Structures are given as structure tokens and as C-alpha cells.
Amino acid sequence: MDFIQITVIIWLIVPAIFANDLNIAFWIDPVQKDIYGDIAATLKEIEGLHLETKIVDTVMVIEPGDDDDDEVDSMETSERNMRTFCDILSVSGISIILDFTYLPWHQGLDYVQAHGIPYMKVDRILRPFMQMFSAFLQQKDATEVVMLLQNERDKREAIEEMIRGLPFRTLILNAGDGNRTDFVTILRDLRPSPGYYGIFAKGSNMNSIFDKILKGNVFARPAEWHFIFLDTRDRVFKYKKQAENGNKFSVNPKAVCKSLQMKDAYCQSGFTFQRALLLEIFRALIDIRQSRWLEPILMDCNVTTSETMEYLKDFDILDHFKLNDFMTFSPVNPENTFDDERPEMIPPLSYSVNVSINFYSSEHEAVTDLAVWQNGEMKKINHTISPAKRFFRIGTTEAIPWSYYRKNPNTGELLLDANGQPMWEGFCIDMIESLAEKMNFDYEIVTPKKGKFGRRDPVTHEWDGLVGDLVSGETDFVVAALKMYSEREEYIDFLAPYFEQTGITIVMRKPVKQTSLFKFMTVLRLEVWMSIVGALVSTAVAIWLLDTYSPYSAKNNKKAYPYPCRDFTLRESFWFALTSFTPQGGGEAPKAISARILVAAYWLFVVLMLATFTANLAAFLTVERMQTPVQSLEQLARQSRINYTVVEGSDTHHYFINMDFAEKTLYRMWKELALNASRDFHKFRVWDYPIKEQYGRILLAINSSMPVADAEEGFRKVNEREGADYAFIHDSSEIKYEITMNCNLTEVGEVFAEQPYAVAVQQGSHLADPISFAILELQKDRYFEELKAKYWNRSRSNCPLSEEEQGITLESLGGVFIATLCGLGLAMISLVFEVLWNKRKQKKIAGDIVQVKPVDVKDPPVEVWHSEAKLTPPPSFETATFRGRKIPSGITLGSEFKPGRVGLNRRLLSRRPDEDTPPKDELPAYME
């Protein structure tokens, strides 16, 4: 008897021996070793049912081939798996193969299909929950999700599901006790921060995972966390209060046991869906086995017979396998087939699960369900599943007025929020708030740990600042005063500009004018003023001399001038010379020809001096009102009195560095061209370099002045230089804002090196389109114009008006008013002296009248009346005649001698001014 005959006999006899046995071979992956416990527990449940069929299980671990191994190693692994399978097939026999593996074992599948061995593919145990979770997040428009799994097997199944295709970006982490990496640290350092988190675990494992999350301070936004319980024991979760508003995905144990036709106790302790699926599969296979199918097959892999082939090919598992409410087949589509090259194979076997979706609440544990997952469909219940707010880490850095820390206006201290974090404000901060409202997201502002806007290291070629954080994923996008550079755009993407073209300009302090009330006197030098005074004195003395000694003056020529004329005494001469400087004129001029010639020459001098003073005063005031000594970058570069600087390492600093490099490069190229030109060499014979070189001098001056650390220091240095001898070259938008806040500063020259500001995202970021659309919407609503008016078009009403706006100030010409007031004061003092001097003279005259001797009674009485009360001493003669009469000596009234009686005269002199004129009968006849 040969070997083939023996094999046929064994194949025919063994089924009769093992008539009631069901030999099931399990193909599993190395990560599915937990199936041993589920198989053992399920076999105990089968034994408790007291069925006649005995199940014999054989578990075969399929060693996967490493893609990195060479072809020889892969062949060795496949041959090793095949030898193990052949040993099982030839020793214990196989009734059916249950394949739990994730990747197809091609050699084994080829053998099974070729020999007609019963085979069933079991789908991934986690797949129904993954489908449910994916459908729920699609209702929320999720774009990025982190999935935390309880063990390595679940992680592998989630990865396989992700490979098949998920409608969002996914990060899968093993959060079980056996993982080697700290998933909490990964979550904390994850960039960009995901919008949703999902924990897939059994009730007991859910507690341990969430405990780590709480201790790591990762659980910050409850509404974005989802707790997916993979068993029926969701009530053992002890962090309900901490997870308030977090979504809970739970399974009703009674409903599961009802579909399994088992007691409720089965779904309470130690229940897993893999165990339940095994139980249903065993039941169905036992029914088939009792129908005399699925007999154990013993076979030598090296020997086959035609009889064996014909018998095995008559069996079709689908014709005998009965499904129920719990067990089902996965939908047949390309993503579910285990091998695209074998579409004729039966679909994977799976299970159906009904999940209730609600949320944790501190008010009451049972709340209205958000939705229900039933029969593979998501059904909303009384609530709209609205998209949760996404969360972004937005990069920015200090740049006034774009984004800066809010400070106490009185103390200058930083203001902190409720969490102890500094508060921000500015143009970009307002823009972020508007984007968050329009796009419905929460955000966290992140500042770069190193650098500011972004500079690439010339050695390592790594970026720091905002650009570096964006490249490394530390931030999701950047909203700051970030300019669009071609060098930056090689590593990040810029969106539509949100601000008009901005560039570089110069700021200086307005010159502080030296306040002096007599500043108008500085128009002429001291020696000129002294010369004018000397000319005035000399002219006055000369006029007095000429009028005194000239025979043709009014004083010495009475016949030519019988009418009253001006007597040019020394006092009148000085008054004439002084008043000649005024538009009123000097008054009556001298009569002598010599004096008139002198006056004419003096008037010419006065006209020229007045014209000179007026012209110089106008020019002096005009120059004084000029704001800055330079008006452009070219003027600033040509002078050496004014120092200027930039912020070290800023875009402005790099602009001058690059321009200096460009100038030197162009000069070197021109020099080489001029020296080495073989054709038209005579055209290069020029004495001057045809390109203006100024940026090299500017950069040298900047380095000598030492670049400042930040813009605040630059503005402070400019403000401290009251002489306007210091300039700060910086971003034009920041300078314009600073000018609105500081009345002492002014902008110099025009803006140059203009470039736009724009929001930056990672290259290929999915946020580019929604953010661009939101920015365009804001532009359409003229939102950015309002922001610009808020920060730049502020009224400077608190600043004093400049002289261009208010004219010449009193401080410049106050000395004129002081001189006038001094003249008024001197006039009042002179009036006081005149009054006192007059009273003194009247008292002296009154005393002289009382002491007059009595007149001779023989002479007729003389009565005197004169309106003037002024008395002058009598002339030096005894008797005067008036109208042929003799008047006693000793009495003089006015400028003429008048007869009168002594008694009447005394009475008239003693009369008060307010008394009436004496009666007519008391007057003598010649005075009536």
C-alpha cells in the first residue's frame, strides 16, 4: 500500500471518528493574542449550552513579512507560516478557517482557495465603532482628530481603518499601560492642536486613560472630547464631573444580550464584542456541523487527490451560514475586501451595534440623546449636531500697533487675564477676534521662543521666530506684521494681503525752539543795535547844534518865521530823531538848509534799517518754523550731524544689509566689465561710477550708532534728542502710529521699500482657503478700513497747535509787548512825578503871595482877574506900567502885568476853583 492510498483511507475514516468535532483554525496577527482569552471564555459559554458538538480550536499566528526585508527573508517567513499551517492540517485537521488577520496571507489563501477548504474572513472588531465615530464627526465637519486606543491591537485596527480612508486627518496613539511612549506628552506638544479627541476603551481602561489626561492638564475643552466605550460598562467611569459636556458613546447591555439571546448577566461582566462575535460564529458553525458539513479535514500539503478536490468544492459556506440581529457581513466594496485581486471571496463577517450618543452633565446623569447609531446609520434626536469650535494656535509677536501687550496706563504694568496670561491688543488681535467669530474657532496666541518674525540661520538653514514656529508646526497660522518675502515663501504660504502697502520711513523729533521773549532782537547783532543807537544820538546832537548856530534857523531868523515854530532844543532833537523810526514820523522838521540835509540823510538811514530789519525778521521766523533739518533718506545719508539707527535684526536692518550687498556686487560686476571689455571698451571710459552709492554709507552710519534692541528703544532715543539730531529708520506703519501718540515726533521723507502684510500658513495647509475667504469677506465689509481708522486716523487734539497752524506765537514776539508795557509804566511814573512837582510849586507860590507887602492906598485900587492860577515870580524891577497906569511891584499874574487891588487879588487867589466868579458889582469899572 503506497502513501497515497494511506492518505485516502485516513481522509475517509477520520470523519467517522470525529463525527461531532468542529476543528476551527484561527489565523491571527501577533498583536491579536488577546483572542486566546476570548476563545477560552466563549468555549465555556458553549459548554454551558450543552451542545453535542465539540469545538477544537487551533490558533496560528501569521508572521507578517517586513516590507524593509529583502525578498529572501520574506520567502523564508512565508515558508515558515506554510509549514505551520500544513502541520495543523495534517495532524489535527481543519473544519473551517477563521481569518482575523489585518493583511492577507497570500500563500495560505491560494492554498485554501485551490483545495476548497472552508474559509471565513472576520472583519476588524473595532470597525463598527470606527464607522460610527467617523459618521458622527462628519456631522460636525471635523478636519483633524486624535484617537486614543487602549492597546496595541486596537491601535493597529485604527491604523488599518485610517489606511482604508477617513474623512479627516487622524493621529492614532496607544494610551494603554503597555505603551512605551508617554501619550500625554505627545498630546501636550502636538502641533497643530487637533479639534477633536476620541478615547476608545473599555470602562475600566477608560478610567486609567482619563486619569493620565487630567494629571497632564490636557483635558482643556470638554466639548471636543469623545468617550467611546467598547463594552457595556460605561457606568464604571468615575470622572463624570470632570468630563462635563464631553460626549459619551455607550451601548445598552440589555439590548445587546437580547440580540444575542443571552441572559443579562452575560453582558455585564467581562463582556467584549469580540467574545460576543465568537459566540455567534460558534453557534452558526455548530448548526452547520450538525448538518454533516464542516467535517475535519486531514490533508498532506504535498499530496492531493481528485476525489478530495471534488468533495471539498461542493461546499459553500454562504449557503449554510445563518445570520441574526447581531451578526452581519460588512458591506462589499473595495475598501472592505481584504485583497483587491480576489473579489470573488466572501465579504468579512462583522457585527451590528447600536450606540447612544449623549453628553455628561453635572445636573443629571441621564440626558437627552444627541443621536443614535443604529443599523449602520446616524440618526439625530431632538438636537442638531452642530460643529464644535475648532482650536488653533495662532502665532504673533509684539509690534505696535499690530499686536502688543496690554498695560496699565498709570503704572505701565502688564495686565493679566483670569488664567494669569498677559492680555493682547492691537490691529492683528482685533482681526483674529473677527476671524474667530466668522470661522467659529477658539484660539491661543503663541509667541516665538526664539527670534521675532523669522530669520534663517546661514549654517543650519533653520528658521526662528514666527516663520520657524510655522514651519515646525508649533502654530497653525500667523497673524502679525509679517511682510511677504520671496525667501519666506519658499517655506510657508502667504494668503491675500490684509493691509495696504507699507514700507520704511524715518522719524525724528520736532526741534525744540529756544523760547525767548526778545527773540526778535536777535535778528540783528549787538554791534548793529549799538550802531543804530549811536547814529540816533549823533543825529540828535547834530540837529541841536545846527538849529542853535545856523543863522537861518527859526530860532535865529524871527523875521522869516513870525509865526510860532518848533524850538529844537536838545530834548526836542532827541525826540525828533527817535520818532523818525516810526511810521508816525518825526514831526516838524528844522528850517535851516544844513539841518534839513542832515535830516534827509538820517531818514534814508532809517528807511534802509527798517527794511533790513523787516526782511531779516521774516526770514528768521520762516527758518525757525521749519520742522526738520533733513527731508529725505538721501539728505540723511549726505550729512554727518544727525545720527540714525534701526532695530537690530529687523526687516529694515536686513533691507540695508541686502542693499549694501547689492551695491557692492554691482560695482564689482561693473568694474570687471569696464576692465575686461574687449568690445566697445571706449564706452566704459568714464570717471564716475554710474550708480549712486549710498546704502553702504547708511549701513556704516547705522553700525557706528549701534542698532537698538527694539522699536520702543528707538522711539525713546529720538524723543530724548530735543535738538533733532537723531533719527530712527523703521516700519512706516509703526512710525505713523507712534506719531499719533507722541506729539514731539514727525515723519521725514517718503515711504520706500514698500511691501504688503499678509496672513501666513503652512505650505499646503487646509486652512488656506477658509481663512482667505474670511479675509475677503472682511474686506468686502470694509472692516480693515475701520481698523485703520481706529489705530492710525486718531485725532491729535491733545497736541498743541504748531506754528504753521496757529501762526507766530507770543513767545517769539512777546518782547514787543513788554517794551510797550515798559513805556506805559514809565509814562505813569512820569505822570506821578509831574503831579507831585506841580503841587510842590503851587505850595511855594501860595506862600510867596501871603508874604507880599501892602500897596500904597493913594494909588487907585487895582483888581486882578485871570483864568490861570499859575503864578510866577515878579520881574526884577520896581514898577511896571499897564495901559498907562502904574502897578505896584511884587504882583505878577500870568504872562502879563495887570492892575488890581491887593485885597481883591488876595481874595481871588484864595478862592477855590469850584467857587463862582465874583459878582459884577465887586469888580472895578475897568474890569466890568
Side-chain angles (χ1 to χ4, degrees):
M1 185 178 295
D2 57 8
F3 181 78
I4 297 176
Q5 293 175 342
I6 295 174
T7 303
V8 173
I9 293 173
I10 294 174
W11 185 81
L12 295 173
I13 295 175
V14 169
I17 299 175
F18 303 100
N20 295 324
D21 288 349
L22 178 63
N23 292 1
I24 303 177
F26 294 88
W27 288 356
I28 66 172
D29 278 340
V31 296
Q32 295 176 322
K33 293 182 179 180
D34 62 332
I35 199 173
Y36 292 110
D38 289 336
I39 291 175
T42 305
L43 292 178
K44 288 184 179 179
E45 294 292 338
I46 293 296
E47 291 177 0
L49 297 177
H50 304 289
L51 301 176
E52 298 179 358
T53 303
K54 179 182 179 181
I55 297 179
V56 178
D57 64 292
T58 303
V59 180
M60 177 183 173
V61 180
I62 306 298
E63 298 181 13
D66 194 349
D67 295 336
D68 295 334
D69 293 342
D70 55 18
E71 186 177 356
V72 177
D73 293 337
S74 299
M75 292 180 62
E76 290 179 356
T77 302
S78 181
E79 291 177 358
R80 189 164 51 249
N81 290 332
M82 195 62 194
R83 284 195 300 270
T84 303
F85 177 68
C86 289
D87 291 341
I88 297 172
L89 190 61
S90 61
V91 175
S92 60
I94 296 176
S95 300
I96 188 172
I97 298 174
L98 296 181
D99 186 3
F100 283 81
T101 60
Y102 303 131
L103 297 177
W105 178 32
H106 295 292
Q107 188 175 4
L109 289 174
D110 292 340
Y111 188 87
V112 168
Q113 189 176 17
H115 295 82
I117 299 176
Y119 170 91
M120 290 196 69
K121 173 66 179 176
V122 180
D123 204 354
R124 298 181 296 274
I125 301 301
L126 203 61
R127 179 175 173 79
F129 287 94
M130 298 293 294
Q131 289 179 329
M132 175 269 305
F133 186 60
S134 176
F136 181 78
L137 291 185
Q138 280 185 291
Q139 297 290 331
K140 295 176 115 0
D141 295 333
T143 56
E144 63 280 330
V145 181
V146 172
M147 295 185 183
L148 304 177
L149 289 307
Q150 62 182 349
N151 51 44
E152 194 64 26
R153 188 207 69 179
D154 290 355
K155 176 184 175 182
R156 175 63 184 275
E157 293 191 1
I159 292 175
E160 292 296 329
E161 188 70 21
M162 181 180 66
I163 293 174
R164 296 301 188 274
L166 290 175
F168 38 74
R169 296 188 302 168
T170 309
L171 175 64
I172 299 173
L173 298 175
N174 181 7
D177 296 332
N179 64 326
R180 297 182 179 179
T181 58
D182 185 4
F183 75 96
V184 175
T185 304
I186 297 176
L187 291 180
R188 189 186 299 114
D189 299 337
L190 186 60
R191 302 294 181 271
S193 299
Y196 298 88
Y197 297 83
I199 306 177
F200 294 78
K202 297 186 294 185
S204 58
N205 294 336
M206 188 73 74
N207 286 321
S208 61
I209 294 174
F210 191 73
D211 181 65
K212 295 179 181 179
I213 292 173
L214 283 181
K215 291 179 179 178
N217 295 325
V218 179
F219 188 74
R221 295 177 294 131
E224 318 309 327
W225 286 79
H226 304 83
F227 303 88
I228 300 95
F229 290 89
L230 302 181
D231 59 6
T232 58
R233 303 184 63 198
D234 60 285
R235 293 182 178 273
V236 301
F237 185 61
K238 60 182 180 180
Y239 295 100
K240 299 180 179 66
K241 293 183 179 180
Q242 291 83 350
E244 184 176 6
N245 295 326
N247 294 327
K248 179 179 69 172
F249 298 74
S250 58
V251 179
N252 190 340
K254 293 184 178 180
V256 174
C257 283
K258 182 179 179 181
S259 62
L260 292 173
Q261 298 179 357
M262 298 290 290
K263 296 181 179 179
D264 293 344
Y266 175 78
C267 299
Q268 294 295 334
S269 178
F271 173 84
T272 64
F273 283 97
Q274 181 171 259
R275 186 177 302 178
L277 182 59
L278 286 173
L279 178 62
E280 292 302 298
I281 293 175
F282 289 170
R283 285 178 174 178
L285 294 179
I286 289 175
D287 291 341
I288 298 174
R289 181 69 184 90
Q290 290 177 352
S291 301
R292 297 301 176 180
W293 293 100
L294 298 180
E295 296 176 355
I297 301 173
L298 290 173
M299 182 179 295
D300 188 349
C301 295
N302 298 320
V303 179
T304 58
T305 61
S306 59
E307 290 82 358
T308 303
M309 293 292 296
E310 294 296 332
Y311 171 78
L312 294 177
K313 286 185 178 179
D314 292 338
F315 178 77
D316 188 357
I317 189 66
L318 292 178
D319 295 338
H320 303 275
F321 200 90
K322 297 179 180 179
L323 302 177
N324 53 29
D325 295 338
F326 180 78
M327 192 165 48
T328 182
F329 286 113
S330 295
V332 179
N333 54 57
E335 72 171 8
N336 287 328
T337 56
F338 53 85
D339 192 353
D340 296 339
E341 297 179 356
R342 293 174 173 83
E344 70 277 4
M345 300 296 286
I346 62 176
L349 189 63
S350 184
Y351 62 93
S352 176
V353 60
N354 296 334
V355 181
S356 297
I357 306 172
N358 47 44
F359 59 91
Y360 287 109
S361 174
S362 59
E363 298 180 358
H364 42 79
E365 185 175 351
V367 297
T368 305
D369 292 342
L370 295 175
V372 172
W373 175 259
Q374 189 174 10
N375 298 327
E377 295 181 358
M378 183 66 64
K379 299 179 180 180
K380 300 179 183 179
I381 301 178
N382 299 329
H383 286 75
T384 301
I385 305 177
S386 59
K389 284 189 175 181
R390 289 173 291 177
F391 184 82
F392 298 125
R393 291 171 59 87
I394 303 176
T396 192
T397 186
E398 277 198 289
I400 297 176
W402 304 100
S403 51
Y404 53 92
Y405 292 117
R406 185 178 300 175
K407 297 181 180 180
N408 190 315
N410 299 324
T411 63
E413 297 180 354
L414 290 178
L415 298 179
L416 305 179
D417 57 14
N419 298 325
Q421 299 297 323
M423 303 173 66
W424 289 83
E425 62 181 347
F427 184 97
C428 291
I429 305 303
D430 293 347
M431 176 181 170
I432 291 173
E433 293 178 355
S434 300
L435 289 176
E437 181 180 357
K438 186 172 288 291
M439 298 175 61
N440 189 30
F441 66 81
D442 289 329
Y443 63 90
E444 175 187 2
I445 295 179
V446 180
T447 57
K449 297 180 180 179
K450 181 182 178 183
K452 197 169 184 181
F453 291 101
R455 182 173 56 182
R456 188 172 61 171
D457 189 278
V459 179
T460 62
H461 301 287
E462 294 182 355
W463 287 85
D464 62 3
L466 294 176
V467 178
D469 288 349
L470 199 59
V471 172
S472 63
E474 184 70 19
T475 55
D476 299 318
F477 58 94
V478 171
V479 181
L482 190 66
K483 294 182 179 179
M484 297 177 64
Y485 291 154
S486 58
E487 184 183 17
R488 292 172 177 172
E489 203 158 8
E490 294 178 2
Y491 296 87
I492 60 177
D493 290 340
F494 286 98
L495 306 183
Y498 62 84
F499 193 76
E500 63 184 8
Q501 294 284 96
T502 185
I504 304 172
T505 189
I506 307 168
V507 63
M508 295 181 65
R509 182 187 171 106
K510 296 177 181 178
V512 178
K513 303 172 184 177
Q514 299 296 330
T515 58
S516 175
L517 296 176
F518 295 93
K519 186 174 290 187
F520 69 95
M521 297 291 293
T522 60
V523 174
L524 302 177
R525 290 183 176 271
L526 179 61
E527 55 267 25
V528 178
W529 287 115
M530 296 302 297
S531 300
I532 293 175
V533 173
L536 188 148
V537 173
S538 301
T539 302
V541 173
I543 292 175
W544 172 68
L545 291 175
L546 292 175
D547 191 76
T548 301
Y549 295 104
S550 175
Y552 296 100
S553 64
K555 180 178 180 181
N556 299 327
N557 193 4
K558 296 289 186 179
K559 296 180 179 180
Y561 305 99
Y563 49 87
C565 296
R566 186 174 184 177
D567 187 7
F568 279 90
T569 62
L570 188 60
R571 183 183 63 180
E572 286 295 325
S573 298
F574 272 103
W575 181 252
F576 175 83
L578 182 63
T579 55
S580 295
F581 274 94
T582 64
Q584 185 67 26
E588 185 179 357
K591 304 300 181 182
I593 300 298
S594 57
R596 290 189 175 187
I597 294 174
L598 175 63
V599 169
Y602 179 68
W603 282 348
L604 179 62
F605 166 77
V606 168
V607 170
L608 294 177
M609 292 307 300
L610 287 178
T612 303
F613 178 80
T614 304
N616 282 275
L617 179 62
F620 176 79
L621 294 177
T622 302
V623 173
E624 185 187 37
R625 294 170 67 178
M626 293 177 62
Q627 295 297 317
T628 53
V630 295
Q631 297 296 327
S632 65
L633 181 65
E634 290 76 11
Q635 294 182 10
L636 190 66
R638 287 197 298 265
Q639 58 81 44
S640 59
R641 185 183 70 87
I642 301 175
N643 296 325
Y644 47 92
T645 187
V646 297
V647 176
E648 186 175 8
S650 64
D651 294 338
T652 304
H653 194 187
H654 284 285
Y655 170 79
F656 287 110
I657 293 175
N658 296 337
M659 292 300 292
D660 175 57
F661 175 77
E663 281 185 345
K664 293 178 179 178
T665 303
L666 290 174
Y667 177 77
R668 185 177 65 254
M669 295 174 62
W670 175 83
K671 182 178 179 181
E672 294 176 357
L673 180 63
L675 294 178
N676 301 326
S678 58
R679 299 180 58 186
D680 298 330
F681 63 92
H682 60 281
K683 295 183 179 179
F684 294 98
R685 292 177 179 175
V686 294
W687 290 103
D688 295 327
Y689 177 52
I691 299 178
K692 180 174 60 177
E693 294 180 287
Q694 66 176 2
Y695 291 99
R697 296 193 302 270
I698 293 175
L699 186 61
L700 184 62
I702 289 174
N703 294 332
S704 63
S705 300
M706 299 299 294
V708 295
D710 51 28
E712 183 178 358
E713 182 181 354
F715 288 120
R716 178 178 57 80
K717 285 189 173 184
V718 171
N719 193 48
E720 290 174 353
R721 301 296 185 93
E722 296 183 354
D725 58 349
Y726 195 85
F728 181 46
I729 307 175
H730 195 55
D731 181 81
S732 62
S733 59
E734 295 188 35
I735 286 178
K736 290 178 181 178
Y737 175 80
E738 191 67 22
I739 290 174
T740 62
M741 305 298 293
N742 192 339
C743 302
N744 297 327
L745 304 181
T746 182
E747 185 179 1
V748 176
E750 297 181 354
V751 179
F752 58 94
E754 292 184 331
Q755 287 176 322
Y757 286 139
V759 176
V761 297
Q762 296 176 346
Q763 282 192 341
S765 174
H766 67 286
L767 299 175
D769 290 340
I771 295 178
S772 298
F773 180 78
I775 291 176
L776 293 176
E777 287 289 326
L778 293 176
Q779 288 179 343
K780 184 183 68 175
D781 298 337
R782 308 179 72 88
Y783 173 76
F784 295 112
E785 295 181 11
E786 297 176 2
L787 279 187
K788 183 180 178 182
K790 176 181 178 182
Y791 288 98
W792 279 278
N793 296 344
R794 296 181 178 180
S795 174
R796 303 185 69 187
S797 57
N798 56 334
C799 296
L801 296 176
S802 61
E803 289 196 354
E804 290 83 356
E805 298 171 336
Q806 66 179 358
I808 300 175
T809 60
L810 183 62
E811 295 176 351
S812 299
L813 298 177
V816 177
F817 297 93
I818 291 178
T820 305
L821 293 176
C822 290
L824 178 61
L826 290 175
M828 299 304 295
I829 294 173
S830 300
L831 175 62
V832 172
F833 276 107
E834 288 178 352
V835 172
L836 294 177
W837 180 260
N838 184 51
K839 287 185 177 180
R840 182 173 178 275
K841 287 178 65 178
Q842 287 184 0
K843 288 182 180 180
K844 183 177 180 181
I845 293 173
D848 293 340
I849 294 176
V850 173
Q851 296 176 5
V852 173
K853 295 179 181 181
V855 298
D856 189 1
V857 296
K858 296 180 181 181
D859 296 332
V862 178
E863 296 182 0
V864 180
W865 174 259
H866 199 272
S867 61
E868 294 183 359
K870 180 179 179 181
L871 302 177
T872 58
S876 59
F877 50 80
E878 294 292 336
T879 306
T881 58
F882 181 76
R883 296 182 183 178
R885 293 172 173 257
K886 295 182 178 179
I887 301 176
S889 62
I891 298 177
T892 302
L893 299 177
S895 58
E896 297 180 337
F897 294 102
K898 298 181 180 181
R901 294 192 301 268
V902 176
L904 178 60
N905 294 339
R906 185 178 299 134
R907 185 161 57 88
L908 291 174
L909 293 175
S910 63
R911 182 180 59 83
R912 295 192 304 273
D914 56 346
E915 291 181 0
D916 297 331
T917 306
K920 186 176 181 181
D921 56 356
E922 295 183 8
L923 296 177
Y926 59 85
M927 294 185 64
E928 294 179 359

